[in-house]
Amino acid sequence: MIQTILIGVIILAAFLLQRRFYVKYWQDDLDVNVKFLNAEVPETQRGTLQIVVENRKKLPLSALVVKFQTDKHLEFEKNKGSISTDQFYHNDVFQIGSGERITRTLHFVGTKRGYYRINNVDLTSFDLLMSCELHSSFQPSESIYVLPKPYESRSFQLMLQQLNGEMLTKRNLYEDPFELRGIREYQPFDSMRSINWKATARTGKFMVNQKNYTSPKSVRIFLNLEDRHLIKKEDELEECIRISAGLAKYLLEQGIKVSFYCNGPDVLTGEPTLKSGGKGPNQISSILRSLSRVDLEKDALNFDKLFRRRILTDQENSYTCFVSTSQSKEFLDVLQSYVMQGRVFSWFYPKSSRFQPDEIPVILRDSLKIVQT
């Protein structure tokens, strides 16, 4: 009888001891990493996520459950431990021994442009005899850009080629301040800064410098995402984003300097996008990433207040493109004011059921480029 009791006490003590050890030490030297292998993936393309579990202590874990969630627009391959509703929920079970490292790979497709993060990672483990649950959680810093797919079509390509030709032929619109082609008598519309004082002193009349003209050396793209209708047409706004991506990509691949401005709020900062002029692959990546972070669930910021002054006072030797479905009075007024300055521009408009060409002032129709989406 005493021997039976003694054995029972020993078993109970061993049970409580192992349980105490697991409660105290199960997280020690345990690393769990949920990470994207790519910082960015193009829209509709495949990406990869890895779950890496490493147990560097001598205490084995008979079961470790790793749970996390992310956005449903990262469409993962079918998996027994996954559920997709308003979010994507993943549940994975690991049996990991002492000094062991296990890596599991999940593949997904970025079905929609956006900036996505791995949400809270929950860990659940047990003692050796599975008698108690042990919990922990952490917030990883992992994120991924699903870049918008630049709009492409044969008609759009021809439109871009035509735009390139227009930029080259509009030489009489942009004065080159470094190249003179002659001197003439002052006219009332001339700036005082153009007066040639030496010629004026020699002739006794106000004389001004005549400058040569050049084609624009850069392009400004203004993306206006304002939609003041009762029901917001998000699909049309997404088309505007894709057209902007296609336009920027084409121009930058031609070696043209591009600056980019958008009144859609950034999903992280809530601020508009302001990209100063740049060239090359870095500028393409920067613009596409900015477009990924545009939050269409929030209303666009006021285009007129944000950009009117920049549009009308910027004297940079540049050609301007607008991308928008807006026909608001304020937006049309900005464009008309720009025309009245003698400037030429292009307005890219994705054709939709709400397109009302009769509501667009005649003065703007030559600038309109209807994109068949």
Side-chain angles (χ1 to χ4, degrees):
M1 181 71 177
I2 294 176
Q3 188 177 7
T4 303
I5 294 174
L6 183 60
I7 292 172
V9 170
I10 293 172
I11 291 173
L12 178 61
F15 168 76
L16 293 176
L17 184 63
Q18 67 83 30
R19 181 168 176 167
R20 182 178 178 182
F21 259 81
Y22 271 92
V23 169
K24 189 173 182 179
Y25 298 114
W26 76 278
Q27 287 189 84
D28 287 5
D29 295 319
L30 174 66
D31 287 333
V32 178
N33 195 1
V34 181
K35 60 181 181 180
F36 293 108
L37 294 190
N38 321 91
E40 57 187 43
V41 294
E43 195 174 17
T44 73
Q45 297 299 307
R46 198 182 196 208
T48 304
L49 180 142
Q50 275 190 350
I51 306 172
V52 181
V53 178
E54 184 175 9
N55 181 26
R56 297 192 302 274
K57 61 181 175 291
K58 293 184 178 181
L59 205 64
L61 297 177
S62 56
L64 176 67
V65 182
V66 180
K67 298 179 181 179
F68 68 87
Q69 67 184 60
T70 188
D71 196 275
K72 65 179 180 180
H73 293 114
L74 300 182
E75 193 171 277
F76 284 80
E77 295 175 349
K78 297 296 182 182
N79 188 291
K80 290 182 180 179
S82 302
I83 300 174
S84 185
T85 53
D86 58 326
Q87 292 276 301
F88 171 81
Y89 299 89
H90 184 76
N91 189 351
D92 224 333
V93 181
F94 296 80
Q95 185 175 12
I96 185 165
S98 171
E100 190 175 0
R101 176 189 174 100
I102 299 174
T103 300
R104 291 182 184 165
T105 300
L106 303 176
H107 298 292
F108 64 89
V109 173
T111 60
K112 185 180 179 182
R113 168 202 68 83
Y115 174 81
Y116 303 113
R117 306 188 69 169
I118 297 294
N119 295 327
N120 200 58
V121 176
D122 295 313
L123 306 177
T124 302
S125 191
F126 307 86
D127 64 348
L128 193 60
L129 300 177
M130 310 286 284
S131 65
C132 69
E133 289 189 4
L134 309 167
H135 298 280
S136 180
S137 64
F138 65 93
Q139 178 60 57
S141 58
E142 287 293 307
S143 62
I144 190 169
Y145 289 88
V146 177
L147 305 179
K149 186 177 182 180
Y151 183 78
E152 292 180 346
S153 73
R154 177 60 180 163
S155 60
F156 186 58
Q157 186 70 18
L158 292 173
M159 201 174 287
L160 295 178
Q161 292 172 3
Q162 181 185 12
L163 171 65
N164 206 15
E166 288 176 3
M167 289 167 53
L168 291 173
T169 56
K170 300 301 181 184
R171 295 179 182 272
N172 61 328
L173 297 177
Y174 304 94
E175 289 187 337
D176 188 335
F178 301 106
E179 193 171 339
L180 298 178
R181 64 185 175 94
I183 299 173
R184 60 169 172 78
E185 192 170 344
Y186 177 84
Q187 299 293 325
F189 54 80
D190 288 321
S191 168
M192 293 294 290
R193 289 180 299 177
S194 65
I195 293 177
N196 185 318
W197 294 105
K198 287 183 178 180
T200 297
R202 188 172 61 249
T203 62
K205 299 178 181 179
F206 282 111
M207 305 297 289
V208 296
N209 295 321
Q210 285 184 285
K211 298 182 178 68
N212 263 336
Y213 299 97
T214 183
S215 57
K217 298 176 182 178
S218 65
V219 174
R220 301 183 300 165
I221 300 174
F222 288 90
L223 171 58
N224 179 13
L225 294 174
E226 283 183 302
D227 187 339
R228 300 183 181 180
H229 296 86
L230 290 176
I231 301 176
K232 182 185 289 188
K233 287 283 189 178
E234 189 172 316
D235 55 339
E236 293 178 9
L237 300 180
E238 288 289 352
E239 289 298 335
C240 286
I241 289 173
R242 294 190 184 100
I243 289 169
S244 298
L247 177 59
K249 182 172 181 289
Y250 173 82
L251 293 169
L252 287 163
E253 287 175 347
Q254 303 300 309
I256 297 171
K257 186 178 179 181
V258 174
S259 52
F260 180 77
Y261 308 95
C262 174
N263 63 337
D266 185 289
V267 71
L268 295 181
T269 67
E271 298 297 319
T273 298
L274 309 172
K275 292 288 179 187
S276 57
K279 289 184 178 183
N282 288 340
Q283 186 73 345
I284 294 176
S285 177
S286 178
I287 291 174
L288 291 181
R289 284 192 172 201
S290 295
L291 287 170
S292 295
R293 283 168 45 173
V294 171
D295 187 0
L296 291 183
E297 292 185 3
K298 296 179 181 177
D299 290 337
L301 305 169
N302 188 288
F303 186 87
D304 181 67
K305 290 182 179 179
L306 278 175
F307 299 130
R308 171 182 281 270
R309 184 175 179 183
R310 183 184 295 270
I311 292 167
L312 300 182
T313 63
D314 194 337
Q315 299 300 313
E316 183 183 2
N317 180 22
S318 61
Y319 187 90
T320 302
C321 294
F322 298 93
V323 182
S324 181
T325 59
S326 175
Q327 292 179 223
S328 70
K329 181 181 181 301
E330 292 89 346
F331 180 58
L332 296 179
D333 182 61
V334 172
L335 300 189
Q336 290 180 89
S337 298
Y338 198 50
V339 171
M340 296 302 291
Q341 287 186 348
R343 308 289 287 192
V344 175
F345 62 90
S346 293
W347 175 11
F348 290 84
Y349 193 120
K351 188 174 183 180
S352 66
S353 58
R354 295 193 298 191
F355 177 54
Q356 301 292 334
D358 293 339
E359 295 182 9
I360 295 177
V362 175
I363 195 174
L364 299 178
R365 292 179 190 175
D366 286 343
S367 304
L368 200 60
K369 295 185 182 296
I370 307 300
V371 182
Q372 301 289 342
T373 58

